[in-house]
Every structure is written in structure tokens, then in C-alpha cells.
Amino acid sequence: MSPVTAAVTTTARAAAPRPRPSARTRRRFRARYPGRAHRGAVAALLAAAVTAVTLSVPGATAPAHAQSCRTQVRGEELPDSAGPHPLIDLLGLRHAWDLSTGDGVTVAVVDSGVDARHPDLAGAVTGGSRFDVTRDAAEFTRTTPAADEDCEGHGTGIAGLVAARRAEGDRMTGVAPAARVHPIRSVDGVDRATHNTVAAMIDDAVDAGVEVLNLSLAVVEDHAPIREAVARAVAADIVVVAAAGNEGNSGPSGGRVYPAAYPDVLAVGAVDAAGRPLDASNRGPWVDLAAYGGPLPLVAPGGSGYRTDSGTSFAAAQVSGAAALVRARYPDLTAAETAERLVASAAPVGGTRNDRTGAGIVDPFGALTHLPHLGPDDPEGEGAGIAVQPLPTTPPLLDRTEALALASAGALLLALLLGLVAAPGVRRAATRGWRTGPLPDTAPADGPAPAPAPAPTRPRGAALERLDGSDVPPPVPPGRNRAAVARSRTPTTHRSR
């Protein structure tokens, strides 16, 4: 046992409560062991000196990688009945993946760390950085994190929503499944890090050359170090995405949190699966977009498993993934143009912009296919995607002269047809003397004789007497009146008295 260890052990034993010996016992002890009292005093002084030296060294802590998690979050396996990840349908990701998967884009995640051992994150996580809080003027130390460092699981869940790789069945996938994640870990938690430490973590993302920065953290006051670090990230052409916070506007700042409320930062609120804003999501005119923050399955730390969580932090991760899709498809767009495309293509909630969801719910496919409006400085549509073309026109089959000639010929043909149809009627009207009624019973002098009138009906017996045809009158000579001829042929019968 070393002297220092013995001194500390002796001090610990001396500090333990025990019965005080009587004065007689103490006198006997000193008389029998005269040197032990001095050795005990020396040991106590040595232990006090060691303790004083330990506390006086600023920032003296245990080695970074020797620290274990006070509480390690674990996950569970998804049930066999679990279908595709709900965000695939809610965000229309399969259509978006036909155009972009985020390949070549790196998203920095400032959070509790990322456990890169999970199969869904295989090949998606870079080395990253680790920040330990110290008690000296520097306030922190920066090292490289181990691949499995994430005690709270928050950062691993964010990384999974951004860039989890697609697998069979798509039970878990990120919005940009081909993007990469640069983890920036705060050992004591981002919420307990100093303002200078948070600013240093943002600067670390800038130095790493990332294209998108996810800040799922919220500070209720505006601090110059954080504000200036965000401005440096914006100046470095990085799309900065921040969560709007989960205080429901009940915090001391009335709901306004930072860095979400800074200019040029995409502030993201949260809605449920039906598109209704979450009550806990902070609101204000500074909110730009919304995404789904209801209970979602997330990648869990520990090398396997999943867990469920909700809030604006995970809504911000979806917007960061959508930004990665846009930056991969349109690498020439600036960060400001990428953010503008995400906002302009969002699906409005309630039909208009509001303080709860901003411009609306993020739409990755809409952002990838959005056509910006043409401005006065871009009349030809250069740089605006596909210019709107005029409607196609087809020449007429006939010109004006040909159309008039065809119409005239049609009118003449119609008149001829009408004349042919009306001719019999005109002749019949002329025969009647243009009077209404049936035709007269006389025929013209030079025309053919009309048909004879039918014979009068006789009794049945009389028909036998006329079989010789004597009942048929002779034909009427031309020019004679039928009635006169009939009277001349009528015999005169004298009745005897």
C-alpha cells in the first residue's frame, strides 16, 4: 500500500464515527505507544495535503474515456409486425429518394453523442469531436469520441432520423439515407454546457466543413458567444437548423429560444401524425417550418434496439435530412437558397402561415421539385429550373377565304334540299287554289277522267240479277257533265193508278 493510499485510508477511518475512549484509556495508550499518536497526526496531515492538492488543480478530472455513463439508455427490438417507418409515408420519402438520397452531404449533430455501432448507422458516422467541461478558464477540452459514446441516446436518435441506412422492409430509415453524420458530443449534456462550450461545438462543425448543422437544443437567453458562432456558420454557407423548443411558450422568455430565433436559422416546430401542432411546441413569428414530432421510433444506443420519443428536437432532424437531400441534388445552391426552397415548398397548415408551424410542414419531394418564381432580374428564367413555356398553338385547317367558300356552298346545298322537299306541298297548295282543305272533285278539261264512284250497295239478292254487268254505267264522253249523263240515263217510271 502506498503512503498516499494509506493516508487516505487512515483519514477515512478516522472520519468514521466511533465511541470516544475514556481519559484513563487514552493515558494508558500514550504511555504504552508513545510514537503512534505522532504517526497518526502525520498521516492525517498528509491526507489533508493530498486532498488540498487535488482540489486546487483546476479542471482535474478522471481521464475522459475512463468515465462511464451515470445512466445508459437502452432500446428494445421492434416487433415483427412493425411495418415501414411512419415518416416514409408522412413525408413521401419514396418519391424523394427517386431524386436524391443525400449522398455526399455531411450533417453535423451537436448533441449527446452518436453510438455508431448500431447496424442502421453502419458507415454513416464520421469521427466527430468530444467536449468535456473543465473548471479552468478554457471551460472545456476537446478530444475525439469513442464510437459507442452516447449515454442519453438523444444524439443517436437524431442521427438515425437524419441518415439511418435503408434495410429490408424499411422498418427504420433516415430522411437522407445516404448522408453522413458528424457527431459533436457534450459529455455533461448540451443543456449543462457553458455558452462558450456550445459556441466551440458550433465552430467545430464549421471547421469540419459540413453542409448542414442540426442544433436540437434551446437556450432561453440570447448569448453573444452562441449568436456569433451561428453567424460564422451561416457565413460558411452551412444550413443551420434548430429546434423551436418544448416549453409551450411557458418559459421565462415567453417561448422565444435560441439559436432557433436567430436570423438565417431554420426554426422548426412540431406537429402530430395528423398535422396538428403539438401543445408543447413553442410558437412565434420566428418559427419557419414544422415537422412530425409525435412519438416516433428512434435508433437507440447500445449497439442495437430502438426506443420511442417525441418533441421538436426530432422534428428539426427531419428538416436537416431534407436539407441534405436538396444540397445533394443541387450542389450549386447556397445555404440561403436551400433554406428558401425548403420554406417555399412546405405544405401550409390551415392554409396559411402561422406562428405554430411557420410556412408549413416540410415536404422533401416538394423541395426537390420546387420551381422558384421568376424575379425582375431573371426574365429568361436562368437559374430558376425549368422556365414556363407558352401553350402550343396549331394552325387552322382552312384560311378565311376557304372557310367562307365552304360556308356558301353548304348554304346553297341546304336551300336545294329544302326546295326538293317542299315542291310536292307547293303543287298541292296550287291545286287547291292556295286554300286549305281537301282537293276538289273535278278534274281539269284536258286532264284524265277521275276514277268512277263506287257502286251503291245493293241487297244480297239483287247482286245475282246484275251478273251480266248491266249495272256498270258506260264511260262518260269527254266534255260531257257526269251528272247530266246520269240524269239522261235514268228511266222514267210511271206508276199505274
Side-chain angles (χ1 to χ4, degrees):
M1 182 181 293
S2 66
V4 174
T5 304
V8 173
T9 304
T10 303
T11 304
R13 291 176 179 175
R18 56 186 176 180
R20 182 178 177 81
S22 63
R24 183 177 179 180
T25 303
R26 292 198 300 271
R27 286 194 299 270
R28 287 181 177 178
F29 183 85
R30 286 194 295 269
R32 188 172 180 177
Y33 305 104
R36 290 201 174 185
H38 299 289
R39 289 198 298 269
V42 172
L45 291 174
L46 180 60
V50 171
T51 304
V53 169
T54 302
L55 296 178
S56 64
V57 175
T61 58
H65 297 293
Q67 292 182 350
S68 60
C69 298
R70 293 186 295 270
T71 302
Q72 177 65 67
V73 175
R74 300 285 182 180
E76 299 179 355
E77 290 302 320
L78 291 174
D80 295 336
S81 59
H85 197 276
L87 289 182
I88 294 178
D89 291 332
L90 291 174
L91 296 178
L93 293 180
R94 287 195 172 91
H95 298 291
W97 291 334
D98 289 338
L99 302 176
S100 174
T101 56
D103 188 20
V105 176
T106 302
V107 180
V109 175
V110 176
D111 216 290
S112 61
V114 176
D115 190 340
R117 298 174 299 168
H118 200 288
D120 291 334
L121 294 175
V125 183
T126 64
S129 301
R130 167 186 171 132
F131 286 78
D132 293 84
V133 176
T134 61
R135 298 184 179 90
D136 58 3
E139 300 184 16
F140 61 87
T141 59
R142 178 185 176 279
T143 57
T144 300
D148 59 346
E149 288 188 342
D150 185 11
C151 298
E152 302 174 9
H154 193 272
T156 301
I158 296 295
L161 289 178
V162 172
R165 278 18 186 172
R166 298 183 65 184
E168 184 178 357
D170 285 334
R171 299 203 304 172
M172 173 57 61
T173 183
V175 176
R180 303 195 71 188
V181 173
H182 179 80
I184 302 175
R185 184 191 182 208
S186 176
V187 175
D188 293 331
V190 180
D191 55 339
R192 291 183 292 273
T194 65
H195 308 141
N196 289 325
T197 304
V198 174
M201 290 190 289
I202 295 174
D203 288 335
D204 184 88
V206 176
D207 295 338
V210 302
E211 289 83 9
V212 182
L213 172 59
N214 186 92
L215 298 173
S216 290
L217 57 96
V219 181
V220 297
E221 296 181 3
D222 176 16
H223 297 281
I226 300 178
R227 180 178 66 252
E228 293 168 358
V230 169
R232 287 191 290 270
V234 173
D237 197 37
I238 297 175
V239 179
V240 182
V241 182
N246 306 307
E247 293 76 27
N249 284 62
S250 61
S253 62
R256 184 180 291 269
V257 296
Y258 303 91
Y262 288 136
D264 302 320
V265 173
L266 283 176
V268 184
V271 298
D272 61 14
R276 295 183 297 262
L278 297 184
D279 293 337
S281 180
N282 290 331
R283 60 185 179 273
W286 45 275
V287 176
D288 298 300
L289 285 172
Y292 295 96
L296 293 170
L298 307 172
V299 176
S304 64
Y306 304 88
R307 65 187 188 90
T308 301
D309 207 342
S310 60
T312 59
S313 293
F314 308 105
Q318 298 164 42
V319 175
S320 295
L325 295 179
V326 175
R327 300 219 79 173
R329 179 168 173 81
Y330 303 105
D332 295 334
L333 290 181
T334 65
E337 292 170 340
T338 301
E340 181 182 358
R341 178 179 283 263
L342 291 170
V343 172
S345 61
V349 176
T352 183
R353 184 184 181 93
N354 58 76
D355 291 348
R356 301 297 297 272
T357 59
I361 302 174
V362 66
D363 182 0
F365 180 75
L368 293 171
T369 57
H370 176 67
L371 296 178
H373 296 290
L374 299 180
D377 299 332
D378 191 17
E380 300 298 330
E382 296 181 1
I386 303 174
V388 178
Q389 301 295 326
L391 293 175
T393 58
T394 56
L397 297 176
L398 302 174
D399 58 17
R400 180 179 176 83
T401 303
E402 294 172 341
L404 290 176
L406 183 61
S408 301
L412 292 176
L413 180 61
L414 179 61
L416 178 61
L417 292 176
L418 291 176
L420 293 176
V421 172
V426 172
R427 287 196 300 268
R428 285 195 298 270
T431 303
R432 290 194 301 266
W434 303 101
R435 293 189 301 272
T436 60
L439 291 173
D441 197 21
T442 58
D446 55 350
T457 304
R458 294 182 175 85
R460 187 179 184 89
L464 297 176
E465 300 175 357
R466 300 292 182 180
L467 292 178
D468 57 354
S470 60
D471 59 332
V472 178
V476 179
R480 298 287 301 276
N481 186 281
R482 182 185 298 271
V485 172
R487 285 195 300 270
S488 63
R489 293 177 178 176
T490 302
T492 304
T493 303
H494 299 278
R495 181 176 298 179
S496 61
R497 295 181 180 179

